């Protein structure tokens, strides 16, 4: 899963930095993995994560960044937002809902072999 997440997160970050449409860029990169329907979900969850963190999401170079690992951990259930992240209850609930939606959409959108290896 981390490979798909880092690819999508880095695509999103680059699009934002270039002031380009994020969902269109995500759609193009995710289509190569039959996950193009995930573009709006990725866009939403990354925007929410930035709001919760109170800063732009950081991406890695060769290895996943801490933010990319956090997102992967949120989605696989192994992580929660760190105790030092202070956000409103509304933002925390929105992120929780986005994580649940992402899990459902990934299960529905990705072929079984891709979901297992993603």
């Amino acid at each position: 899963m981390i490979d798909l997440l880092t690819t999508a997160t880095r695509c999103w970050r680059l699009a934002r930095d270039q002031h380009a449409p994020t969902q269109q860029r995500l759609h193009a990169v995710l289509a190569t993995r039959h996950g193009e329907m995930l573009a709006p979900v990725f866009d939403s969850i990354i925007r929410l994560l930035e709001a919760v963190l109170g800063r732009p999401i950081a991406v890695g170079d060769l290895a996943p960044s801490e933010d990319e690992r956090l997102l992967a951990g949120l989605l696989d259930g192994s992580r929660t937002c760190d105790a030092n992240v202070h956000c409103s209850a509304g933002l925390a609930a929105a992120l929780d809902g986005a994580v649940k939606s992402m899990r459902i959409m990934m299960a529905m959108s990705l072929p079984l072999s891709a979901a297992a290896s993603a």
Side-chain angles (χ1 to χ4, degrees), residues 48-105:
L48 280 167
L49 186 56
E50 282 193 333
V52 165
L53 294 174
R55 59 173 173 75
I57 193 167
V59 296
D61 187 10
L62 297 176
S65 70
E66 178 56 32
D67 290 346
E68 290 166 322
R69 287 192 297 273
L70 173 60
L71 181 56
L74 290 171
L75 292 173
D76 71 16
S78 65
R79 302 264 314 259
T80 59
C81 279
D82 301 325
N84 61 345
V85 174
H86 301 289
C87 66
S88 69
L91 268 178
L95 182 61
D96 184 54
V99 166
K100 290 174 182 170
S101 292
M102 177 67 112
R103 288 176 185 156
I104 292 167
M105 290 301 295

Side-chain angles (χ1 to χ4, degrees), residues 4-87:
L4 177 69
L5 292 173
T6 55
T7 298
T9 305
R10 291 170 188 189
C11 171
W12 186 91
R13 175 82 273 145
L14 182 61
R16 291 286 289 180
D17 292 348
Q18 295 175 342
H19 306 287
T22 54
Q23 287 191 28
Q24 289 176 354
R25 294 267 183 101
L26 284 167
H27 184 277
V29 77
L30 292 169
T32 64
R33 298 174 184 214
H34 307 289
E36 57 270 19
M37 291 187 63
L38 294 172
V41 185
F42 267 110
D43 187 43
S44 176
I45 199 166
I46 296 170
R47 286 176 191 265
L48 280 167
L49 186 56
E50 282 193 333
V52 165
L53 294 174
R55 59 173 173 75
I57 193 167
V59 296
D61 187 10
L62 297 176
S65 70
E66 178 56 32
D67 290 346
E68 290 166 322
R69 287 192 297 273
L70 173 60
L71 181 56
L74 290 171
L75 292 173
D76 71 16
S78 65
R79 302 264 314 259
T80 59
C81 279
D82 301 325
N84 61 345
V85 174
H86 301 289
C87 66

